[in-house]
Structures are given as C-alpha cells and as structure tokens.
Amino acid sequence: MTHFPSPAEELRLLDTELRQLDARRAVLLTRRAWLVNALYAQAAVPSHPSARPPARGPEATAPGVQNVLLVLGGVLLTVAAIAFTLVSWGHMGIAGRSLVLGGVTLAALATPVALLRRGLRSTAEAVAGLGMALTVLDAYALHEVVLPGTGGTGFAAAASAVLAATWAAYGLAVGGVAPSAVHGSQDRSTAGDAEDHPAAGAGAVRVALRLPLPFALVAAQLPLLLWVSALGAGVETVTAVVLVTAAADSAVALRGRMAPVRIVALVGAFGWGAWGVLAAGWLSWAAAGPGAAARAAALLALAAATALAVARFAPKPGLARGTALTGGLLMVASLGGVLRSVLPDVWTVPGYLLCGVALLAVVRTPVPDPVRRGLVLSSAVVQAIAALTAFPAVVVTLVGPAGWVERIWSGAPDDARAVVTLGAPWPPLTATVPLVLAVLAGMLALAGRTTAWRTPALVGALVLGWATGLVFPAVLELPYTAGLVVQGTMAVAALVVAARVRPAAGKRLQDPAALTAALLALVTSVALALAALATESATLTVLAASVVLCALAAWRTDLGPLTAPAALVHGTALTCAIGASAGWEPQHTALLVLVVPATAALLAARLGASPMTVPVEATGAAAGLLAVALSVTDAPMLALTLALCGVIAAGTAVRPERRNVGYAAAVLLVLAGWVRLAAWEVGSPEAYTLPVTVPALAVGLLRRRRDPAASSWTAYGPGLAATLLPSLAAAWGDAHWLRPLLLGAAALALTFVGARHRLQAPLLLGGVTLTLVTLHELAPYIAQVVDALPRWAPPALAGLVLLAAGATYEQRLRDARRMRDALGKMS
C-alpha cells in the first residue's frame, strides 16, 4: 500500500528540499561570478606580448572644430563691419552707405534660411549672429545720420525695444526643412534639438535657430530701464522698473521652452531681483515718513508677489520653498516698514515680529505644501531675528550681577537695572524686550502642541519664558527688593515645572524639558545670590532660602542629582556669609564651612547607591578644600581643619564601598600632625615620621595576619622607610651621638627581628641602616688611620684584597648564591 505522509511531515520535507536548493544556488552563483571575473581579466590582458596599445584618438571632435571656426569667422566679420561703420562710413554718400549696410544686413539675415534647408545648422547660427550684430550697427548708423539730435539714452531705449522685437520675430519665423539623411550626415550635433514639422513629410525635420531668441531676451532687459533713465526718474521709479523686469524674466523662466532662453531669463530674474530688493529695502529703512514708507512697501510687495508667484508655479519643491521663503521675508519687510514709520522706534521689532507671526495664517490656506513650508520657515526666520535683538539685554541681566563679587555689601542699588549694570550702559530700545520674548515663547508653546518636533518647541518656549521673567525687573526698573522677589519666584516656578513633568520612573533628568527647567532654576538661583551681595541682609536671606528650596526639591522630587549639590553649594556660601557677618577671620570661618562636608558625608551614608551620592560627596569634598584654603594663613587652625577633614574622611571610609577614602583620611591626619608640629617649631624628623610609622606597621601587621602570602616589603617596607630614611639623613648631618646611637640600636633590633622571622624588609633595611650609621660614626677614625699610613699602603692593601678575591673566586660565587637563595626564601 502507498504511504501518504501527514501535512506537517510533508511540509517539513519540502522545507528541507528548498533549503538544499538555496544552498546549491548560492554555490553556483559564486562560481559563476568567479568565472565572469576570470574572463574579464583575460580580456584585459593583450593576446600577444608585442601587441601595441590602440592609437590615441583625436583630441577635438569634428563638430567642435566646425563650431570654433564658425564662431571665429562670425567674430571677424562683425569686427570688420564695426570698423567699416565707424571708419569708412564717411567716404561714401548717404545712398551708398544705406545700400551697402542694408544689403549686407539683409543678406546676413536671409542666408541662414538656405543654410537650414541644407541642414547646415552651425553655419546658419554663425551667419545669423553676424546678421543680428549688423542690426545693432544699423541702429547706430540710423542715430548718427537720420536722428542725430535725439538723446542717446532715449534712442537706445527705443532701439533696444525694436531690436528685441525684431530678433524675437526673426527667431520664430526663420526655420528650414532639411532631409533627415542630409541632416544626420552633415550636422549630427543638432539632431537633439530638431522637432517634427507637420508639413515636412515623413523624412524631414524642422530646425530652428538658437541664437535669436536668447539675444532678443537680453535686449528686452534694457528698454524700460533706459527709458526711465532718459526721463530722469527717481530711485523709486528705477527700482520699480527693475522689479518689473525681474518679474517678466521670472515669467519667461517658468514658461519658456528653450533651455538658452530659460538660462538668460533666470540670470536676469536673479540679477534684477537682487538689485531691486536691495534698493527697496534701503528705501524702506531710510523712509522719513509714512508716505515714503508706503511707496517702499509697494515695491517690496511687488517683489514678494513675484517670488510667491514663482513659488506657486515652480517645477521643483526646493525652488518653491526657497522662493516662498524669500517672498515671506519680503512681505514682512513691506508691512513692517510701514508700521515702523508710524510707531516709535522702540516698537520696531514688535512690529516686524507681528508681521512674521501673521505669516503663519497661511498654514490653514489651500496653498501647495512647498509654498506653505517656505512661508512657515520665513516666519521662523523673523522670529529668530527678533530673539537675537533681545539677546544683549538677557546677557547683561544674567552676567551683570557677577560684578557684585568685588562690591560685597556696599549698599542696595537704586533699582533692578542698576543691579545688573553697575554703572555700565544699558542696551537701548529694550522696553519691549519682555513682550517680544513672551510672544516668541507663546508661539513655540503653540507650535509644540501641533508639530512633530514637540519637545524642542517646548524646551525653547521654556527658555524664552524664563528669559522674559529674567529681564522684566531690569527693563521696568523695579525696586531692588522687588527684583529679588521676581527672580526668586522664577527659580521656584522653574523647579515646579521640572517637578511636574512626568517622564518614565526615575528618568526625570533624562527628559529634556525637566532637565532644562531644573538647570534654569539653578542658573536663576546663582544670579539671585550674586544680585543679593549688595546688602548683608539680602545675602543671608537669599542664601538661606536657596538652601531650603534646593533641599526640598532634592527631598520631594527626583531632581536630587542637581538640586542636592546646589543646596550644599548655597550652604557653603551661607556659612561664609555667616562668618563674615559675625566678623570672624577667614581661618575661623573655615571651621564653620566644615559643617558642609560633614553634612555631605552623613547624607551620602544615608543615600547609599542613589544617583545623588556621588554629586553630594564631590560637593562636600570641594567645600572641604575651601575650608583648608581659608585656614591656610594660620598654622594651628590649618592643623585643626586638616584633622577635622581627616575625621570626616575616616567616617566616610567606614562604608564598605568607600574603603579607599581611608588613604585620604590617613594623609589628612598626617598632614594635620605635621602642621601642628611645624606650628610648635619642632625640627626633629622623628616627631614627623614616627606618628606615620607606628600606624603603618600596625596596618602591615594586620595585613600579614589576614594574608600570610603578602610580602614584608608591602606590609612593613613603607612604614619602616618613613622613619629610617629621614632619621638616617639627619644622623649623617648630626654632630651629637644620641641620634646615631638610637638609630643604630633600632636598626640592630630590626635586623635581628628580620633574621628571626625570616623577613626581607626588616633585615635589609635594618642592616643597611646599621652599616651606614656605623660608617658615619667610624669615619673620623678611619680618616685618622688613613692619614697615619704610608701612601703606598692603600694600593698595596687593595692589591692583596684583589688577589684574595681572585684566589677564592669560585667560593665567593657559591657564597653569593647561598646568600641570594637565603634572601629569596624570606618573605
């Protein structure tokens, strides 16, 4: 019977077969790629060693050479015609002159028709260019002979208009029908520009000239400008003509079909447009009254309408956005200029800002998306410029109070502006700065509710709102106390905002809005503390309030990594202020400052592994360094301060994760002892070294008990060297016998202890110290003996020693090895 597998089994078999097929396909594709590369490599190698590389081709193509020759010939003919017109004109009569120049012109303009019928496109272009140049000479001749009394500028305007129309008609009318075979064989460079002609039949194409239409457009740039110049028009009229010309060029650039025509139109649109916009902007800024401002606004509105029309019909989104951005800025400049002419100078920025904000109304209009984006971007640019105008006042308000560090408690200033300026000039025209900043903050807040970039918008709104409150007291020149109250309220409000943000649990400071609000609160508290330095009462009150505020924020919210250190910083400043208020010397104030590191150590012990621990400990350490710096001028107080710092560090080292702080505690306590001894004018080195040696040896003994494998150099070496080496140096310069005797006895005892317990460090340090002390004590006697011996005795004695050493060399080597082995077996 036939066995039919179950669907699951059959599916498994099919998957297995498919995987095998995929693997085989990958192998075959890899092999195929290798074979293809091998064939290409063989094809790249010459088949015969003597095969020569192919000959170098011509550097210039036949059409290129043809075009160069034709252009050169046309230029030479044009120069000859100019020379004939200017030089040889006077040798002929009026009939001859007209007949010659007119006939040559007509012949030059008619010849391209026949050339195009034969398919000679490039030759026809060259001859047509010569003909158009001759028409310019005809116009010049007409002015010189027939109309010599007319103004040159006015005649040039009319001539340029006639030439533009003539060349345009000539370019549209002149064309030829050439057989496709002839066209393809004689002038292949023009095949891409040929278009089907409805009357030419199946085997013919229509070829049009390229030069007349671009030249006509170039000539069309001049009539209006020359005409208004001939009339002696003012700057406003000339600017209007320039802008109209730019608008016409823009229309041609958008609707033109020939690439050369579009290129000429684009150059004209950008060139005339830039000139006209700059001139209109200057007229708007320099307007002396509403009338002049309105006329300049009309010019800017014309430029804006042109830009927006281009944006509406632009074929590419990038061009549409760029021209819409330009049009929006021109609209703002137009309306803002009118408002500036009727409002006081202080309202200039708000006026332009109002116009920029009004551009946002386009968001809800049915315009293409690129245009909408460009207008919104232009509004953003206007708002950014308005924000920059408020920047000087914000910087002065924020940085100015730092000058009170040099004028502590010199007296309350007259108002909040005097707090930040300290006699320096205040930026002009700042009465509306709070309004500008508030409007910008509101716009960003509204944008944050509807846009995808919600977080950056809200952060920007928060910063601008904070800047509004910061400059508000100084701008309005509020009383000194009122300014402090406003800044304190801002700090509280910023902390409230930071606390009300609801990010993920434990990640408040990772939220940009919460982090920004917390940082703004801290910056405000610092600026407030600096401003409060003017009077003693304000300083104490502000610092105490700052400590309480930051401590509450650290306790009730998860902003502790920022606010807890800030509370300690303000606490340090408060202790210094209390000491100065009590009339204490800096060294006595240092003891009060030590309250901060002690508090930080206690808080860190309670916090454990909290994110606040490290910032709190770092701030406490900085406060301890400040206390040491304050007491450095008084040795007894410095010793006490170092000792207290050592006690605080030792208390921190009790925590298992802070054992390494014990080294710092030991260093601080030792330094405290040394400073105290120096204050007592103690000069014996043992008084400084023995307090270090005894604890070090005790610690080494504990280390050896816990870790028997620890080396004696690690356990006892530092402690022994701390006393032996300074004492040895002092003994060599000591003329008395007591220190060498005690040092030698101690070294002898250490040598016995090292030998008894087989320890390298005591044995070697004690032995070397004992030897050096002995040599120092016996040095006078040795010197006497050497002086008593004959001069030949020392060399003879040295020779005997060398002979004895040579005779027993091998035995000495064995003794040295035994000594090395014995020392190596010691710990």
Side-chain angles (χ1 to χ4, degrees):
M1 296 177 65
T2 304
H3 172 69
F4 294 97
S6 63
E9 181 66 19
E10 186 176 0
L11 180 61
R12 187 185 64 81
L13 294 175
L14 289 177
D15 290 340
T16 303
E17 291 293 335
L18 289 174
R19 284 194 297 270
Q20 293 177 354
L21 289 175
D22 291 338
R24 181 60 179 166
R25 175 180 173 82
V27 173
L28 293 176
L29 288 175
T30 303
R31 180 62 180 172
R32 181 183 182 280
W34 184 86
L35 292 174
V36 170
N37 292 331
L39 289 176
Y40 279 132
Q42 292 178 2
V45 179
S47 59
H48 193 273
S50 60
R52 296 181 179 180
R56 179 180 298 177
E59 295 182 355
T61 61
V65 174
Q66 179 188 15
N67 292 333
V68 170
L69 295 177
L70 291 174
V71 170
L72 183 61
V75 170
L76 292 178
L77 288 175
T78 303
V79 172
I82 294 173
F84 168 77
T85 303
L86 298 178
V87 178
S88 301
W89 188 260
H91 300 290
M92 301 178 65
I94 184 65
R97 301 171 187 174
S98 303
L99 181 63
V100 171
L101 191 56
V104 172
T105 302
L106 291 176
L109 293 176
T111 302
V113 177
L115 293 175
L116 288 176
R117 292 183 180 275
R118 298 180 57 85
L120 301 176
R121 166 69 178 275
S122 299
T123 307
E125 296 282 1
V127 177
L130 174 62
M132 289 185 292
L134 291 175
T135 57
V136 177
L137 295 178
D138 289 337
Y140 170 76
L142 180 64
H143 179 267
E144 293 295 324
V145 175
V146 181
L147 302 171
T150 59
T153 306
F155 181 83
S160 59
V162 172
L163 289 176
T166 303
W167 291 348
Y170 178 70
L172 294 175
V174 175
V177 179
S180 59
V182 175
H183 172 72
S185 62
Q186 294 186 9
D187 198 355
R188 297 181 183 271
S189 63
T190 64
D193 297 316
E195 58 183 7
D196 294 339
H197 192 277
V205 294
R206 177 178 175 81
V207 183
L209 293 175
R210 290 182 178 180
L211 290 180
L213 291 181
F215 275 61
L217 186 58
V218 172
Q221 310 292 313
L222 302 176
L224 287 178
L225 184 62
L226 293 175
W227 178 60
V228 296
S229 299
L231 295 179
V235 178
E236 294 174 347
T237 306
V238 173
T239 303
V241 168
V242 169
L243 291 175
V244 170
T245 306
D249 285 334
S250 301
V252 174
L254 289 175
R255 297 301 182 185
R257 295 183 178 180
M258 293 181 61
V261 174
R262 290 199 303 271
I263 293 174
V264 173
L266 282 175
V267 173
F270 281 107
W272 296 118
W275 179 9
V277 166
L278 291 176
W282 178 79
L283 289 174
S284 177
W285 188 258
R295 292 190 294 271
L299 296 175
L300 290 173
L302 174 61
T306 303
L308 293 177
V310 172
R312 174 64 179 82
F313 298 102
K316 296 182 179 180
L319 178 61
R321 284 194 297 269
T323 51
L325 168 64
T326 304
L329 294 177
L330 291 174
M331 291 175 61
V332 172
S334 173
L335 298 177
V338 175
L339 293 177
R340 188 179 66 86
S341 65
V342 298
L343 294 176
D345 292 341
V346 74
W347 290 95
T348 298
V349 175
Y352 282 103
L353 178 60
L354 177 63
C355 298
V357 171
L359 285 178
L360 296 178
V362 77
V363 175
R364 301 189 181 278
T365 58
V367 297
D369 185 67
V371 178
R372 181 184 298 107
R373 291 178 179 272
L375 291 176
V376 171
L377 185 58
S378 63
S379 177
V381 170
V382 173
Q383 295 181 48
I385 295 174
L388 288 177
T389 60
F391 184 74
V394 176
V395 171
V396 171
T397 305
L398 188 62
V399 179
W404 287 103
V405 174
E406 300 178 353
R407 306 181 184 184
I408 295 177
W409 299 349
S410 58
D414 296 333
D415 49 47
R417 181 177 295 183
V419 174
V420 299
T421 56
L422 292 174
W426 175 253
L429 303 177
T430 57
T432 57
V433 166
L435 175 62
V436 170
L437 294 174
V439 171
L440 294 176
M443 296 305 301
L444 282 178
L446 291 176
R449 299 176 58 184
T450 59
T451 59
W453 38 281
R454 179 176 182 274
T455 299
L458 293 179
V459 170
L462 188 62
V463 173
L464 290 173
W466 167 80
T468 303
L470 183 69
V471 302
F472 182 76
V475 169
L476 297 185
E477 298 182 88
L478 296 180
Y480 173 66
T481 305
L484 297 182
V485 171
V486 170
Q487 286 193 339
T489 305
M490 287 176 52
V492 174
L495 285 178
V496 170
V497 171
R500 289 180 63 86
V501 176
R502 301 186 181 278
K507 296 183 179 180
R508 184 176 302 276
L509 291 181
Q510 296 181 12
D511 183 83
L515 179 60
T516 302
L519 292 176
L520 292 178
L522 298 182
V523 171
T524 306
S525 66
V526 173
L528 178 60
L530 292 174
L533 293 177
T535 62
E536 179 180 351
S537 58
T539 301
L540 297 175
T541 304
V542 167
L543 290 177
S546 299
V547 172
V548 173
L549 178 63
C550 294
L552 285 175
W555 177 37
R556 301 292 295 179
T557 68
D558 50 0
L559 299 174
L562 287 177
T563 55
L568 293 176
V569 170
H570 287 298
T572 303
L574 179 61
T575 56
C576 294
I578 291 174
S581 177
W584 294 356
E585 295 293 330
Q587 60 270 22
H588 299 104
T589 304
L591 299 179
L592 187 59
V593 174
L594 288 178
V595 174
V596 176
T599 304
L602 295 175
L603 287 176
R606 291 289 302 274
L607 293 173
S610 171
M612 291 189 289
T613 303
V614 174
V616 165
E617 290 177 336
T619 309
L625 291 177
L626 176 61
V628 172
L630 290 174
S631 60
V632 74
T633 57
D634 191 331
M637 293 303 299
L638 177 60
L640 180 57
T641 303
L642 290 171
L644 293 176
C645 290
V647 172
I648 296 172
T652 302
V654 173
R655 296 158 49 196
E657 70 275 11
R658 292 291 184 266
R659 297 297 189 195
N660 292 332
V661 183
Y663 297 106
V667 171
L668 289 171
L669 292 173
V670 169
L671 289 176
W674 288 358
V675 172
R676 183 71 263 183
L677 291 173
W680 287 337
E681 298 182 355
V682 176
S684 299
E686 291 79 11
Y688 296 89
T689 58
L690 286 177
V692 178
T693 297
V694 174
L697 293 178
V699 172
L701 181 61
L702 294 175
R703 173 72 181 276
R704 290 275 295 180
R705 288 183 178 179
R706 294 182 180 179
D707 185 12
S711 172
S712 62
W713 290 104
T714 303
Y716 306 122
L720 294 175
T723 293
L724 291 178
L725 295 180
S727 298
L728 181 61
W732 273 72
D734 195 348
H736 302 282
W737 58 271
L738 182 58
R739 176 177 281 111
L741 177 61
L742 295 176
L743 181 59
L748 180 61
L750 282 176
T751 305
F752 285 138
V753 170
R756 172 69 179 80
H757 296 282
R758 304 180 62 83
L759 299 175
Q760 286 186 7
L763 178 62
L764 293 181
L765 288 175
V768 171
T769 303
L770 180 61
T771 303
L772 293 176
V773 170
T774 304
L775 288 176
H776 174 265
E777 293 302 315
L778 295 178
Y781 303 103
I782 295 173
Q784 293 179 4
V785 171
V786 171
D787 292 339
L789 291 176
R791 294 187 178 273
W792 53 266
L797 181 60
L800 291 175
V801 171
L802 291 176
L803 289 176
T808 59
Y809 179 72
E810 294 182 356
Q811 182 64 33
R812 301 287 78 78
L813 286 180
R814 286 194 294 270
D815 294 340
R817 293 192 188 98
R818 292 193 190 99
M819 179 64 68
R820 183 192 61 188
D821 295 338
L823 290 175
K825 293 178 181 178
M826 295 182 180
S827 59

